[in-house]
Amino acid sequence: MKVQLSLQSRERAKLSERPLVAFVGNPNCGKSTIFNALTGLKQKIGNFPGVTVEPKMGTFTSGSRTLRLIDLPGIYSLAPKTPDEEMTARVLHEGYKGMDRPEAVLFVIEGTNLEKGLFLYSQFARLGIPTIVVVTMIDAVKRSGGVLDDIALEHELGVPVLTLVGHKGIGLDEVREELVRSDNFTLPRTDNLPGDNIEERYTWARKLSAEIARIPEEDTITKKIDAVVLHPVWGPLIFLGVMMLFFQSIFTWATPLMDMIDVVFGFAQSIVESTVPAGLVQNFLSKGVLAGVGSVVVFLPQILILYLFITILEDFGYLARAAFMVDRTMGLFGLQGRSFIPLLGSFACAIPGIMSARIIPSERDRLTTILIAPVMTCSARLPVYVLLITAFVPALQLFGFINLQGVVLFGLYAVAALSGLLIAKLLKSTLFRGSKLPFLMELPPYRFPSMKSVAMTMVNRAKVFMKSAGTIILVFSIVLWALSEFPRADIPAGTPELDAQRIQLEESALGHIGRAVQPVFAPMGFDWKVTIGILGSFAAREVFVSVMGQVYSADVSESDARLRDVLRDVIPLPVALAILAFYVYALQCMSTIAVMKRETGTWKWPAFAFGYMFVLAYVSSLLTYYIAMALG
Amino acid sequence: MNNLPVGAPARIVGYQVHNSFTERLRELGLTVGTMITVTRKAPFNGPIELRYGRSHLVLRAEETDMISVECM
């Protein structure tokens, strides 16, 4: 074995029974791909308060030996410049927040980016942690006509060096073998390391890189793709095309899946209703639990598709290019290029939007993006908009071909998007003011994404969502169910089903709360029934429709038209418009609040978002009401 | 550096300021003496793309201002 030949004289480290092995390397060097390949589904996302990029942890078992693996955020140097880098540095130095210092490190260097990897290594080696080095993307080196002498590198570094072929998994078996042989990690050589100064270290890294590898100066494939993708004319067109596809996919491709989930849960509800005897238990199972779980699961398709898209675009290398192109425009609103993707995603659902804000390295920009994400018109507002618009806006044709209802709907989207960006501007010039953060981004070489890695990311994100949003929505919908079913109302026998439901709701705790809270909304003419709708939709906005159906004894599922007619009779136009204005801004979504808490690590920001959005909703609703009244 | 035309090779001769940002630029390989080329400028005074070796880095004009270069 070559490893033993070249490292015969090196002292081997003795690791413990279940050693903690950390993956260290530059951002984008391919270490997450190796990590995903080794751990498979046996991984979880570590939760470290205050850190945006959470390290993934997992186990790797081969034969009788198990290793605990941790994938640390990629770094350029051990002198941290961001909280994420600080975490990696702290873990390597002394352990961090309950995590031990790793016993050994798998140091990953990208083959086409040897200099940066070796530069980091020159600092890392002094930490004295037993190490194995893995050089990735050997195929990319060879494809561009280069070669790499891994044995010379082994001599020079004093630790085993393994090579990996891009994403094809070739070489992974060897990595597996070497990892489980407990005595394989070796202490890095320190006698030939450069001093601590940056220039000295880069000179060392460049010299070593030139000695052990011949790599062409330019990546011709990336250059060719960039000539098109970043072309002054084609670039923006491709960008628009990608964004349209993205938008389209979250709406169109997700819809059949979401409908299917609705059907499945409807079916489950009907099974419960036919097997469990009628009464409170049946009602609880069907309307409390199943409806609650259903309202969580229904978001999954959109979240998965959004992540599929973002992960592929990011791994391929396009996301950085897109950020490069829109940076100037987003800069007008105090944001940066990378804020674009989370905000676009928020048009489907603020939850994946907020979760994907992790791609923004600057903390202030990330918080701003998270805080305005729920202002973007998510798909849960759509049922409310559609109900009220079809009930109150006449289906007039403007200029013979533009539908007035469509214009109003578009107006609501546009107003929300514009307000979001203006709020961002405001936040950045007040709360998040400070010396302008420098902007710096690497454009990675184009690569084919590893489908396994993409799938792992999707599974992980789905898990996070189900755990953080799912539990809250479920609890909230059960509480809401209890509030609307208790105390039980006296309903005379023989009352029609729909009327019985209405009476129950009126007499329930929710009904009483609605009446008690109603004075708050009285200035814009909301009566207690509308107030109940608004309270009910704190679980999720679309609940407004079903609560309205219940409160007005209209069966929503059978014919929307009936509810529309009823609403048109009982709610004056200015009030209806005021409700619309309220829904444009109000943060009526427990799951968004839960995810915001998770992603920011504190309740402060969700509380702030809820507060400012409520004020906006209230004021705009009031204004709309008075303007509509004045115009008659 | 901002006056550097696209495609013209140049060499970094120094930094106008020394802070954690310029330290990061050096850690990324933009050390004094490094050869660079401006490969692209985004429209409307947008970000600038630099190439050095196989690395491509995007910076805003305000930031490239801190880097002193000499044309070759």
Side-chain angles (χ1 to χ4, degrees):
Chain A
M1 246 191 148
K2 72 167 208 287
V3 173
Q4 279 155 339
L5 271 180
S6 55
L7 295 173
Q8 250 161 11
S9 58
R10 300 295 304 167
E11 193 187 322
R12 299 309 168 102
K14 202 87 191 129
L15 301 186
S16 69
E17 207 40 53
R18 277 170 56 89
L20 180 66
V21 179
F23 283 45
V24 178
N26 293 145
N28 257 318
C29 65
K31 72 192 160 55
S32 299
T33 308
I34 308 177
F35 184 84
N36 285 337
L38 290 181
T39 55
L41 284 169
K42 277 178 283 178
Q43 55 171 268
K44 62 174 193 219
I45 293 175
N47 196 359
F48 291 83
V51 177
T52 54
V53 176
E54 292 133 322
K56 281 183 293 181
M57 290 179 289
T59 56
F60 166 64
T61 309
S62 176
S64 60
R65 199 168 156 75
T66 298
L67 286 91
R68 292 176 296 141
L69 306 182
I70 173 165
D71 185 15
L72 294 172
I75 51 173
Y76 292 114
S77 121
L78 284 174
K81 308 280 185 292
T82 68
D84 304 331
E85 293 176 346
E86 187 174 339
M87 188 188 72
T88 301
R90 293 267 290 274
V91 169
L92 291 176
H93 275 117
E94 70 234 34
Y96 182 55
K97 292 197 179 168
M99 177 181 301
D100 298 334
R101 187 178 191 222
E103 269 181 64
V105 162
L106 193 79
F107 193 93
V108 185
I109 299 177
E110 194 204 318
T112 57
N113 217 338
L114 278 174
E115 290 176 8
K116 276 196 198 93
L118 290 172
F119 172 78
L120 174 64
Y121 183 89
S122 69
Q123 209 172 17
F124 161 82
R126 292 202 188 275
L127 294 174
I129 304 176
T131 302
I132 290 179
V133 166
V134 175
V135 181
T136 59
M137 302 287 161
I138 284 300
D139 52 332
V141 174
K142 288 186 184 147
R143 204 172 41 236
S144 54
V147 285
L148 182 133
D149 182 353
D150 50 344
I151 298 171
L153 187 59
E154 221 162 58
H155 276 297
E156 210 55 45
L157 304 182
V159 299
V161 174
L162 306 170
T163 55
L164 266 188
V165 170
H167 290 315
K168 299 195 185 69
I170 304 170
L172 267 174
D173 281 335
E174 209 174 327
V175 174
R176 286 194 184 96
E177 271 170 40
E178 301 292 326
L179 272 179
V180 291
R181 293 202 2 236
S182 60
D183 57 352
N184 226 332
F185 289 88
T186 320
L187 281 176
R189 253 178 91 171
T190 49
D191 57 302
N192 58 351
L193 290 178
D196 199 37
N197 139 330
I198 295 175
E199 277 71 19
E200 219 177 303
R201 282 163 52 209
Y202 251 112
T203 308
W204 177 82
R206 286 181 176 145
K207 227 172 100 191
L208 180 54
S209 162
E211 269 168 28
I212 56 145
R214 299 272 172 283
I215 297 166
E217 267 280 286
E218 207 159 6
D219 183 346
T220 43
I221 298 170
T222 295
K223 194 181 171 189
K224 277 181 195 152
I225 301 180
D226 269 345
V228 180
V229 164
L230 293 176
H231 187 270
V233 178
W234 304 127
L237 284 179
I238 292 173
F239 176 75
L240 280 182
V242 170
M243 290 310 137
M244 264 165 67
L245 186 68
F246 173 72
F247 212 53
Q248 189 72 8
S249 66
I250 332 182
F251 280 111
T252 348
W253 301 350
T255 314
L257 292 169
M258 292 169 88
D259 290 347
M260 219 164 73
I261 291 169
D262 273 339
V263 169
V264 169
F265 276 90
F267 185 64
Q269 279 174 323
S270 65
I271 290 181
V272 167
E273 276 160 23
S274 59
T275 52
V276 182
L280 265 184
V281 176
Q282 184 216 68
N283 197 325
F284 171 73
L285 287 178
S286 144
K287 298 218 168 102
V289 179
L290 277 176
V293 175
S295 68
V296 179
V297 177
V298 84
F299 288 119
L300 265 185
Q302 283 189 332
I303 289 186
L304 289 178
I305 291 177
L306 191 76
Y307 270 103
L308 178 70
F309 228 86
I310 291 181
T311 317
I312 290 181
L313 287 184
E314 170 141 52
D315 288 1
F316 180 62
Y318 187 74
L319 219 50
R321 269 90 184 167
F324 171 68
M325 281 189 284
V326 295
D327 182 69
R328 184 78 199 137
T329 319
M330 298 304 282
L332 293 176
F333 301 99
L335 294 168
Q336 55 151 298
R338 285 176 186 244
S339 305
F340 192 78
I341 294 284
L343 292 181
L344 194 72
S346 299
F347 278 94
C349 175
I351 293 166
I354 289 169
M355 296 204 298
S356 60
R358 285 167 189 232
I359 58 174
I360 306 169
S362 141
E363 187 60 14
R364 277 184 288 185
D365 286 357
R366 194 177 79 97
L367 269 178
T368 311
T369 309
I370 288 179
L371 287 174
I372 65 162
V375 181
M376 303 296 134
T377 306
C378 69
S379 52
R381 283 172 173 107
L382 208 52
V384 181
Y385 288 178
V386 168
L387 174 71
L388 292 173
I389 288 176
T390 49
F392 291 95
V393 178
L396 285 179
Q397 298 289 316
L398 299 178
F399 313 113
F401 65 95
I402 304 169
N403 186 323
L404 182 61
Q405 293 181 335
V407 172
V408 173
L409 187 63
F410 178 79
L412 293 174
Y413 271 84
V415 164
L418 197 63
S419 334
L421 291 175
L422 291 175
I423 295 164
K425 179 86 191 153
L426 195 69
L427 285 175
K428 287 285 291 197
S429 49
T430 54
L431 210 55
F432 299 125
R433 195 173 43 190
S435 58
K436 214 170 157 197
L437 282 179
F439 172 78
L440 177 132
M441 192 174 61
E442 264 195 292
L443 294 186
Y446 287 102
R447 265 174 218 157
F448 273 108
S450 137
M451 280 308 139
K452 184 167 180 185
S453 220
V454 170
M456 296 295 315
T457 311
M458 286 169 69
V459 170
N460 275 329
R461 296 286 93 198
K463 273 199 229 160
V464 166
F465 166 72
M466 292 303 281
K467 241 169 75 183
S468 53
T471 37
I472 280 233
I473 302 178
L474 182 60
V475 168
F476 202 82
S477 56
I478 290 174
V479 169
L480 204 66
W481 172 85
L483 287 176
S484 59
E485 293 296 333
F486 294 101
R488 299 301 293 169
D490 270 335
I491 298 163
T495 316
E497 168 90 31
L498 287 176
D499 287 318
Q501 281 182 7
R502 174 179 54 85
I503 296 168
Q504 173 56 45
L505 187 59
E506 284 174 7
E507 301 293 316
S508 71
L510 190 63
H512 290 286
I513 296 173
R515 286 192 194 85
V517 172
Q518 187 267 337
V520 175
F521 295 105
M524 52 266 218
F526 294 4
D527 62 9
W528 69 271
K529 292 182 175 183
V530 175
T531 307
I532 292 183
I534 285 176
L535 290 180
S537 62
F538 270 104
R541 295 175 178 94
E542 67 271 24
V543 173
F544 180 80
V545 176
S546 60
V547 174
M548 285 292 102
Q550 212 175 342
V551 91
Y552 288 113
S553 301
D555 193 334
V556 189
S557 54
E558 272 176 26
S559 83
D560 268 348
R562 243 212 83 197
L563 179 58
R564 251 181 269 155
D565 296 339
V566 175
L567 287 182
R568 200 176 299 142
D569 288 340
V570 295
I571 298 180
L573 180 63
V575 175
L577 294 176
I579 298 175
L580 276 179
F582 187 83
Y583 272 91
V584 169
Y585 293 112
L587 182 44
Q588 301 265 77
C589 184
M590 285 307 290
S591 14
T592 302
I593 291 174
V595 167
M596 221 184 243
K597 194 252 154 188
R598 186 180 191 283
E599 296 293 304
T600 59
T602 138
W603 282 108
K604 185 170 87 181
W605 296 118
F608 174 76
F610 183 82
Y612 95 77
M613 287 175 72
F614 184 81
V615 170
L616 264 182
Y618 195 88
V619 171
S620 65
S621 175
L622 203 61
L623 280 177
T624 309
Y625 179 68
Y626 280 110
I627 292 171
M629 288 295 273
L631 295 175
Chain B
M1 160 111 195
N2 284 342
N3 305 324
L4 207 61
V6 170
R11 186 162 168 259
I12 298 179
V13 291
Y15 283 90
Q16 320 248 326
V17 278
H18 289 276
N19 54 26
S20 74
F21 178 69
T22 54
E23 185 177 308
R24 173 46 45 91
L25 291 180
R26 284 157 59 225
E27 285 170 345
L28 282 167
L30 290 174
T31 47
V32 173
T34 306
M35 311 276 215
I36 56 158
T37 324
V38 171
T39 31
R40 210 167 262 113
K41 290 181 175 176
F44 311 114
N45 205 17
I48 293 169
E49 183 193 332
L50 298 182
R51 183 175 78 84
Y52 57 103
R54 288 177 74 97
S55 297
H56 292 253
L57 204 65
V58 169
L59 296 165
R60 285 181 180 154
E62 301 98 277
E63 284 119 26
T64 46
D65 231 9
M66 303 175 195
I67 311 172
S68 307
V69 293
E70 67 176 16
C71 288
M72 308 293 286

